[in-house]
Amino acid sequence: MPEIPDLNIFSSNLSRRLVGKTLASIHIPISRQLKVSENVIQEALEGQPLTAINRIGKELHFLFGNGHVLSIHLMLHGTMYWYENENTSRFTIAELLFADGTGLAVTDWQKAVILTLDPKPNGVPDAMDLPAGYLKTALAKLSKPIKTVLTDGKTVQGIGNAYVDEILYAAKISPFSKANKIPEAHIEVLTQAIKNVLTDAENHIRGNFPDTITEKERDFLQVHRPKQTLTLKGEVILKAELDKRKTYYTESQQLFE
């Protein structure tokens, strides 16, 4: 699943190529995830200039000149591809064709990508913009495992399965720790780890794949390494399942319960 580091790069690369262009047509051949009809989306967006593309949590928001917004949530396996005039990509969920012939195809073999017209804000702070002291107050009210809290989107936006493992590894906190049992000092470390891990990952991906709009390798990750048995530092990777999510961690991560 693309997470904050990937989506920040996608957003900037899509913006560089598309912002300022007029959307000539949008076609959504797989419409089962839509909350409104394809016709409603076409009437709202076609003929409008694209004014900005922003990342909101795990979504990309395409802002148009008339104020309408198209949100794209790539889910687990959604992928985007460029095309010129004619889209030949398989498993296409949506295709956006701009007036100059530039096209963007959104595909997903699982057909799970979610497109939303004019999504409503949910008020949950983004992982990269947490208010001072926010986690201390929020975690005190929650007894669920900290991994669940950080990934369910109800407390923090934008963190998914891979990077939550990386963040908790960096903070030396077990993913099974109860959120309201984590000491204040460790919450401060966790808050800093969120920003550091996501920033470092974005810098790595941008440095190696500066023009990408598709998810790339994650061999640089420290502990979320499904095909490996050791971290990059040589620690044994422990594997478990938490709330149906594959979880990777080490014995060095402290359990608070």
Side-chain angles (χ1 to χ4, degrees):
M1 172 185 287
E3 299 182 36
I4 284 176
D6 311 288
L7 294 170
N8 280 347
I9 296 168
F10 298 173
S11 175
S12 60
N13 288 335
L14 290 166
S15 296
R16 186 169 62 249
R17 190 160 175 181
L18 296 179
V19 167
K21 296 181 179 181
T22 297
L23 182 66
S25 65
I26 179 170
H27 177 45
I28 307 172
I30 305 297
S31 59
R32 67 183 189 184
Q33 298 281 20
L34 295 181
K35 295 182 179 180
V36 298
S37 70
E38 179 186 38
N39 287 340
V40 170
I41 294 175
Q42 289 171 335
E43 291 176 3
L45 304 182
E46 289 182 349
Q48 293 297 317
L50 181 66
T51 59
I53 301 174
N54 299 325
R55 178 191 63 79
I56 305 295
K58 296 179 187 175
E59 301 174 2
L60 293 173
H61 285 196
F62 289 62
L63 285 64
F64 290 87
N66 59 0
H68 283 297
V69 177
L70 178 68
S71 164
I72 300 177
H73 192 314
L74 294 171
M75 302 300 288
L76 284 175
H77 299 290
T79 306
M80 297 180 293
Y81 299 98
W82 296 115
Y83 69 91
E84 295 295 330
N85 296 308
E86 182 179 358
N87 170 37
T88 59
S89 298
R90 299 176 64 199
F91 310 116
T92 295
I93 303 296
E95 52 186 32
L96 288 75
L97 181 63
F98 291 81
D100 68 343
T102 301
L104 178 69
V106 183
T107 72
D108 183 3
W109 62 268
Q110 281 194 329
K111 302 178 182 180
V113 164
I114 298 174
L115 286 83
T116 306
L117 181 66
D118 299 330
K120 296 180 181 179
N122 63 16
V124 177
D126 190 81
M128 295 300 290
D129 192 27
L130 296 176
Y134 171 76
L135 278 185
K136 175 185 174 183
T137 302
L139 298 188
K141 304 173 185 177
L142 302 169
S143 59
K144 293 181 179 180
I146 185 61
K147 176 168 181 174
T148 301
V149 171
L150 293 178
T151 54
D152 66 10
K154 298 176 182 178
T155 304
V156 177
Q157 283 198 83
I159 304 176
N161 195 44
Y163 284 104
V164 75
D165 285 349
E166 293 296 299
I167 289 164
L168 293 173
Y169 173 72
K172 298 302 179 187
I173 296 173
S174 167
F176 300 96
S177 295
K178 291 185 178 180
N180 59 0
K181 299 297 183 181
I182 300 174
E184 182 177 344
H186 286 77
I187 293 176
E188 293 177 1
V189 172
L190 175 60
T191 302
Q192 190 60 50
I194 290 172
K195 189 169 185 178
N196 290 347
V197 167
L198 297 176
T199 299
D200 290 347
E202 180 178 339
N203 289 339
H204 175 91
I205 298 169
R206 196 181 295 276
N208 287 275
F209 306 99
D211 300 317
T212 189
I213 58 168
T214 60
E215 188 177 338
K216 297 298 183 180
E217 55 85 15
R218 288 180 171 176
D219 292 345
F220 64 93
L221 296 186
Q222 302 291 316
V223 71
H224 190 93
R225 299 165 60 80
K227 297 180 181 180
Q228 306 298 326
T229 58
L230 300 176
T231 68
L232 290 183
K233 293 181 179 180
E235 299 169 274
V236 174
I237 297 174
L238 303 177
K239 303 177 183 181
E241 191 168 290
L242 179 58
D243 294 328
K244 299 182 180 181
R245 293 186 177 96
K246 293 181 179 178
T247 299
Y248 302 86
Y249 63 107
T250 67
E251 286 187 353
S252 65
Q253 293 171 239
Q254 192 167 354
L255 176 63
F256 301 100
E257 56 183 355

